[in-house]
Amino acid sequence: MSEPAAVARLAREVTSGLDAADLEDFYRDLHRHPELSFREHRTAARLAARLRAAGYEVTEGVGRTGVVGVLAHGDGPVVWLRGDMDALPVPEETGLAYASTVDGVMHACGHDLHVTWLVGAAEALAAARGRWSGTLVVVGQPAEEAGGGAAAMVADGVHERFPRPDVVFGQHVTPGLVGSYPHTPGLILSASDDVEVVVPGVGGHGSRPESTVDPVVAAAYVVTRLQTVVSREVAADEPVVLTVGRFHAGTKPNVIPAEARLSLNLRTRDTRARERVLAAVRRIVEGECRAAGCPAPPGFTVIPGCPATVNDAALDEEIAAVHRALFGPHTVIDFGRAMGSEDFSRLAPDGVPYDYWYVTSTPAGVWEAAPGEEPAEKIDRVPGNHSPLFAPDLSVVVPGVRTLVSAALSRLA
Ligand code: ZN
Ligand code: ZN
């Protein structure tokens, strides 16, 4: 790691030739043509074409619609830059000249901007390859919104088929007055998991419950007792959400069904809390089934959604210092931890440090017009990610390239 000021200076030089108008055109084109999770064919093809033209060795179809571009230039670390590519089933209401042309689909999370940043960074770093040494891997990830995109790339061998990362960088556009680059060392986003539970019973006639084991009653006890997990087993200052979103059993009033099914969603902010809550849920499910005399052990399947995103704190502080040197001392703020989730961290193999930060994008006029005095008040009153009105300011195109380029150069230069 070089001095932040030196890295920032180099990043400025490397990006001085950026063609902002070209990148903005590229962005507007992606915005007009949003594609849902795992259907990012056009987007992936556009990204792949730009990477290929810049000299990257490009592989498409990684994890279904993912793109990986590799540019090796001498000895040195392997740096991964990741951007997600998918849009959302949201009908756009921005009224922009370059609004979505696809009915009911919109880049409402800004992943079109993420792809544009990747292209800008990949091209700038390729053009300046004489200034750095190592291997750059540019990853266009599918299906972040659906949650399975990074996992699909990992299952498709992204860590074996391509140079394994020494560090992984990612960034997300976010509401907030344009011109800041929020960093959070350590935990930044929560984990989300689903749990599928099957309570086995012995079915029979509704008039003769004594000949059955009623899974509806057992499952009802499970639901009730699960309410004690957050209230009685989790510390008051530890944010955990546990919701039973689905309870399914039975077909008729006079038939006691043979099983009941429950679907749970769990949000946690740290691995220990996640493990503890999952263990408590399992214990309660097993205990209630035993108490009810179920004929078999319950089914219990954890479907991991997104792991918590936990930035390597030292790495985050280094990159934050570079961004501060690049954009000014007051541009790097800390938004703190969020209950939202991301699958970005799956792209970093166990033990490999990663850093994920934000780029604020609310146009100054929209920000000033929002009610409230303090940024904390305004931030909830401007269109945010997933809003049909989400419309990042185009002035973030170049700075978002610079954040990525400077992060990469902090390791490669
Ligand atoms: Zn999103
Ligand atoms: Zn997103």
Side-chain angles (χ1 to χ4, degrees):
M1 174 74 194
S2 327
E3 279 299 302
V7 176
R9 197 160 49 241
L10 180 57
R12 232 177 262 124
E13 287 167 25
V14 164
T15 55
S16 61
L18 278 180
D19 185 344
D22 167 65
L23 287 174
E24 286 169 17
D25 281 347
F26 183 80
Y27 165 71
R28 281 189 288 255
D29 174 72
L30 294 183
H31 193 84
R32 276 191 200 100
H33 300 98
E35 297 172 298
L36 293 172
S37 303
F38 287 126
R39 299 186 209 163
E40 311 89 337
H41 302 285
R42 184 183 184 277
T43 311
R46 297 250 142 176
L47 171 61
R50 293 286 290 242
L51 293 177
R52 230 172 248 128
Y56 287 73
E57 191 178 311
V58 177
T59 308
E60 293 177 72
V62 182
R64 295 167 67 179
T65 42
V67 177
V68 179
V70 179
L71 185 65
H73 189 261
D75 292 336
V78 179
V79 173
W80 282 27
L81 302 181
R82 172 270 201 183
D84 41 11
M85 308 188 291
D86 54 331
L88 284 161
V90 171
E92 180 158 355
E93 294 173 18
T94 60
L96 291 167
Y98 52 93
S100 170
T101 57
V102 184
D103 248 3
V105 182
M106 175 190 176
H107 266 298
C109 205
H111 299 183
D112 44 356
L113 201 43
H114 301 177
V115 177
T116 306
W117 286 336
L118 274 190
V119 164
E123 290 178 350
L125 286 162
R129 72 191 82 177
R131 313 287 301 268
W132 54 268
S133 176
T135 301
L136 189 61
V137 178
V138 176
V139 178
Q141 185 208 298
E144 186 280 330
E145 298 292 353
M153 293 191 91
V154 172
D156 201 8
V158 76
H159 292 144
E160 293 77 31
R161 293 165 58 195
F162 305 99
R164 200 177 157 82
D166 292 306
V167 66
V168 183
F169 293 120
Q171 59 183 5
H172 207 300
V173 59
T174 194
L177 176 61
V178 64
S180 63
Y181 310 92
H183 275 259
T184 301
L187 192 126
I188 181 165
L189 289 166
S190 306
S192 172
D193 295 282
D194 292 336
V195 183
E196 296 292 340
V197 171
V198 183
V199 176
V202 176
H205 203 287
S207 69
R208 296 188 61 239
E210 72 278 13
S211 68
T212 73
V213 175
D214 188 342
V216 175
V217 176
Y221 274 112
V222 169
V223 173
T224 306
R225 194 162 185 110
L226 285 176
Q227 308 311 309
T228 66
V229 173
V230 174
S231 71
R232 303 292 82 188
E233 300 196 40
V234 174
D237 59 356
E238 192 150 49
V240 173
V241 180
L242 176 60
T243 293
V244 181
R246 186 161 52 186
F247 186 137
H248 187 82
T251 51
K252 266 172 79 61
N254 68 345
V255 176
I256 292 170
E259 65 174 34
R261 287 173 176 266
L262 303 174
S263 304
L264 288 56
N265 179 254
L266 174 64
R267 299 280 172 145
T268 50
R269 280 190 181 171
D270 82 44
T271 324
R272 281 206 315 276
R274 176 181 180 272
E275 296 308 319
R276 205 165 63 239
V277 170
L278 283 174
V281 172
R282 183 190 278 273
R283 190 192 74 236
I284 286 168
V285 169
E286 288 174 353
E288 289 298 341
C289 285
R290 200 188 271 139
C294 292
F300 188 91
T301 312
V302 179
I303 301 161
C306 297
T309 306
V310 187
N311 285 331
D312 183 277
L315 175 67
D316 181 71
E317 277 154 21
E318 288 172 21
I319 304 304
V322 168
H323 290 165
R324 227 175 262 123
L326 196 50
F327 299 108
H330 304 298
T331 59
V332 176
I333 50 180
D334 188 347
F335 272 2
R337 304 163 159 200
M339 280 322 273
S341 306
E342 246 288 351
D343 66 354
F344 159 76
S345 66
R346 285 192 193 285
L347 290 172
D350 275 353
V352 170
Y354 58 82
D355 193 26
Y356 178 91
W357 61 85
Y358 299 110
V359 176
T360 59
S361 69
T362 307
V366 175
W367 185 256
E368 276 150 27
E373 293 297 316
E374 296 302 312
E377 295 171 72
K378 285 181 175 279
I379 201 131
D380 293 330
R381 311 298 290 272
V382 296
N385 306 84
H386 295 203
S387 159
L389 299 171
F390 188 60
D393 196 282
L394 282 178
S395 70
V396 302
V397 167
V398 168
V401 171
R402 292 203 161 117
T403 45
L404 280 181
V405 165
S406 58
L409 289 174
S410 78
R411 298 286 133 167
L412 295 172

